Amino acid sequence: MRSAALATALLCAAAATPVSAHDIIRHANPSLPIASSVVVPAGAELVFVSGMLADAADTSAPVGSVERFGDTETQVKSVLDKLAKELEAVGFTMADVVKMNVFLVGDPRKGGAMDFDGLMKAYLQVFGLGGRGRSLPARTTVQVAGLPVPGALVEIEVVAARHAAH
């Protein structure tokens, strides 16, 4: 009788802890392709990547113009590519991103409103359901008055996490 009770208790305990204490857990947001929250366990390796701006898309366009850097979608693509290279240089990937902060300047061609659709078009190419749908980061997107470089519409910073190497 005791062995049956012990076996039942062990099975219940195993069922109550379906993931390893070392797993990074992402809770899906049902309405957006972002995580509503991400749990990073103690001991995980973290990297904090400073905000990055886009590279010039058209060097013949006037310095300080939006045309020099491109529209929001073009700038987001450039920034995500730069972030991927920075993460790769320190042994991480975009799939390791657990938190993303996006700062958008209002696009003068859109009456000063941020171009959320342009952000999403480029974002979905990296984090869409056809891409890394299972590794979506928690994300915040805000409109800001300006960025350090005239013509820049986008700045993105990320935090990435992975299991600590033993």
Side-chain angles (χ1 to χ4, degrees):
M1 184 111 159
R2 282 188 187 164
S3 61
L6 179 60
T8 301
L10 288 173
L11 283 173
C12 288
T17 56
V19 295
S20 163
H22 300 293
D23 287 342
I24 294 171
I25 303 166
R26 297 165 192 265
H27 298 277
N29 180 318
S31 59
L32 289 171
I34 63 172
S36 59
S37 63
V38 179
V39 179
V40 177
E45 291 180 279
L46 299 174
V47 62
F48 297 79
V49 182
S50 294
M52 293 192 175
L53 302 173
D55 289 329
D58 180 359
T59 55
S60 67
V63 173
S65 68
V66 171
E67 292 72 25
R68 185 169 184 87
F69 295 99
D71 61 10
T72 299
E73 181 180 358
T74 300
Q75 290 192 35
V76 171
K77 285 179 189 176
S78 174
V79 173
L80 292 176
D81 286 345
K82 288 174 69 172
L83 287 166
K85 288 176 186 166
E86 180 69 24
L87 288 168
E88 188 176 303
V90 295
F92 284 74
T93 70
M94 290 298 277
D96 297 318
V97 173
V98 294
K99 177 65 174 140
M100 176 182 287
N101 292 320
V102 180
F103 307 95
L104 296 177
V105 172
D107 188 332
R109 296 167 294 188
K110 296 193 173 287
M114 69 177 177
D115 182 7
F116 191 77
D117 289 340
L119 162 68
M120 291 307 294
K121 285 177 186 174
Y123 173 86
L124 289 171
Q125 290 178 20
V126 175
F127 294 101
L129 298 178
R132 295 177 182 76
R134 295 183 160 221
S135 59
L136 295 172
R139 191 186 81 200
T140 300
T141 304
V142 296
Q143 181 170 337
V144 296
L147 293 169
V149 176
L153 298 174
V154 178
E155 182 171 355
I156 302 174
E157 64 182 20
V158 298
V159 176
R162 67 175 179 201
H163 304 298
H166 295 289

